[in-house]
């Protein structure tokens, strides 16, 4: 087994349960703001929100939109396209302004609520503490400064990490190799001496490949691998990582 000098690890949905926190946050906002006035159901709201949010994060990672635009538009877009209002918005400036104000409120709430509902994934604490005893451990994560550091502190694992590399501080997002190069620089090692652990093919695994770093892909799906996707190591659970490292 190859010997590594440092471990790089993703945060959201590798260590922290962002999907679960976001699900609870969206449901709470749907009820709090009576979004049934705009959508036929909570499911319709989520179906409009999710793919648009993913698209916005991709554009943000490519420096095509600003953080401020992403934060508001991910909620404004579904509000403007809800089945109960979409045919009224163009001709009603007051309604559009109301929805714009609501999107701003929802943006603030979402960041607060996803932090409030933050929790570690099963086996995450065990894995992090295990790795921290054997290697310098560096978080490499996308996300906003104002919420990510709160989640690090809330996790109770902050002392396990030698370094934190946050996209907003570096000025680029995974999969840009520059964020990985910053992690290598902080550890004083070469790409061949590190391995990246993450759940996302696009940001974690492809990003590490771009930087010449080995990868451990935590791929929970049992579906066949999409063409062109592979990793140095492929596992389905965090506990399997301990068998490798």
């Amino acid at each position: 087994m190859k010997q590594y000098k440092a471990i790089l690890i993703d945060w959201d949905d590798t260590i922290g349960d962002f999907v679960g926190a976001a699900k609870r946050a969206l449901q709470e906002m749907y009820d709090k703001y009576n979004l049934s006035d705009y959508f036929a159901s909570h499911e319709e709201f989520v179906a409009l929100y999710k793919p648009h949010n993913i698209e916005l994060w991709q554009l943000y990672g490519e420096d095509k939109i600003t953080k401020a635009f992403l934060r508001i538009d991910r909620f404004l877009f579904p509000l403007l396209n809800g089945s109960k209002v979409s045919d009224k918005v163009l001709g009603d400036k007051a309604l559009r302004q109301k929805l714009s104000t609501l999107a701003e409120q929802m943006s603030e709430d979402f960041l607060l609520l996803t932090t409030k509902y933050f929790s570690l994934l099963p086996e995450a604490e065990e894995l992090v503490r295990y790795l921290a005893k054997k290697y310098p451990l560096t978080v490499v994560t996308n996300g906003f400064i104002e919420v990510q550091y709160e989640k690090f502190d809330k996790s109770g694992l902050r002392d396990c990490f030698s370094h934190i590399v946050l996209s907003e501080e570096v000025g680029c997002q995974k999969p840009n190799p520059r964020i990985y190069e910053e992690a290598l620089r902080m550890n004083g090692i070469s790409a061949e001496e590190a391995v990246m652990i993450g759940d996302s093919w696009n940001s974690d695994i492809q990003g590490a490949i771009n930087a010449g770093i080995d990868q451990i892909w935590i791929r929970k799906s049992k579906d066949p691998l999409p063409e062109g996707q592979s990793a140095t190591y492929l596992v389905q659970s965090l506990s399997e990582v301990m068998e490798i490292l």
Side-chain angles (χ1 to χ4, degrees), residues 108-140:
E108 293 298 322
D109 269 9
F110 186 71
L111 297 182
L112 292 172
L113 289 170
T114 51
T115 303
K116 172 185 174 181
Y117 291 131
F118 166 82
S119 64
L120 292 171
L121 286 165
E123 303 176 335
E125 181 173 2
E126 180 184 6
L127 173 63
V128 169
R129 295 199 181 280
Y130 166 83
L131 292 174
K133 290 177 181 178
K134 300 180 66 177
Y135 309 91
L137 190 57
T138 299
V139 173
V140 182

Side-chain angles (χ1 to χ4, degrees), residues 1-234:
M1 183 63 64
K2 185 174 180 179
Q3 297 298 309
Y4 298 104
K5 291 187 177 180
I7 307 298
L8 316 182
I9 190 165
D10 172 54
W11 186 260
D12 287 326
D13 296 317
T14 296
I15 299 302
D17 184 10
F18 180 75
V19 167
K23 183 177 180 179
R24 294 181 68 181
L26 292 173
Q27 182 63 65
E28 184 167 323
M29 291 193 301
Y30 189 85
D31 297 334
K32 174 181 178 179
Y33 291 111
N34 298 314
L35 297 186
S36 57
D37 292 344
Y38 312 112
F39 303 97
S41 64
H42 174 71
E43 290 73 21
E44 180 190 66
F45 165 52
V46 173
L48 287 167
Y49 166 82
K50 278 190 172 181
H52 187 63
N53 183 53
I54 292 170
E55 180 182 356
L56 289 174
W57 273 100
Q58 182 175 344
L59 293 172
Y60 178 59
E62 297 169 356
D63 291 324
K64 294 180 179 178
I65 61 173
T66 65
K67 170 184 174 180
F69 182 85
L70 184 156
R71 286 182 54 176
I72 302 302
D73 196 67
R74 61 178 167 181
F75 294 109
L76 182 57
F77 175 85
L79 287 170
L80 293 174
N81 289 279
S83 60
K84 292 186 177 181
V85 295
S86 59
D87 60 342
K88 304 173 185 177
V89 170
L90 289 177
D92 191 334
K93 291 183 178 179
L95 175 59
R96 189 177 183 91
Q97 182 57 51
K98 178 181 178 180
L99 296 178
S100 295
T101 301
L102 178 55
E104 294 178 12
Q105 294 170 333
M106 291 174 66
S107 173
E108 293 298 322
D109 269 9
F110 186 71
L111 297 182
L112 292 172
L113 289 170
T114 51
T115 303
K116 172 185 174 181
Y117 291 131
F118 166 82
S119 64
L120 292 171
L121 286 165
E123 303 176 335
E125 181 173 2
E126 180 184 6
L127 173 63
V128 169
R129 295 199 181 280
Y130 166 83
L131 292 174
K133 290 177 181 178
K134 300 180 66 177
Y135 309 91
L137 190 57
T138 299
V139 173
V140 182
T141 182
N142 293 339
F144 299 145
I145 292 172
E146 61 267 34
V147 292
Q148 292 297 71
Y149 279 106
E150 280 196 53
K151 290 188 286 187
F152 300 150
D153 291 337
K154 191 174 181 180
S155 73
L157 299 175
R158 183 78 177 266
D159 62 323
C160 294
F161 303 111
S162 301
H163 308 286
I164 292 173
V165 182
L166 184 58
S167 61
E168 191 173 0
E169 293 180 324
V170 177
C172 65
Q173 290 196 90
K174 298 181 293 183
N176 190 318
R178 189 155 60 88
I179 194 170
Y180 298 94
E181 291 163 3
E182 177 63 12
L184 296 174
R185 184 195 67 77
M186 286 183 170
N187 283 280
I189 59 174
S190 66
E192 293 77 17
E193 296 172 313
V195 63
M196 174 69 189
I197 304 170
D199 70 295
S200 168
W201 161 259
N202 288 326
S203 62
D204 301 323
I205 307 309
Q206 185 63 64
I209 291 171
N210 292 346
I213 297 169
D214 283 358
Q215 327 87 43
I216 300 177
W217 185 10
I218 303 168
R219 186 176 187 267
K220 298 173 185 177
S221 172
K222 294 182 180 180
D223 295 336
L225 281 172
E227 185 176 353
Q229 293 189 9
S230 63
T232 312
Y233 309 98
L234 188 63

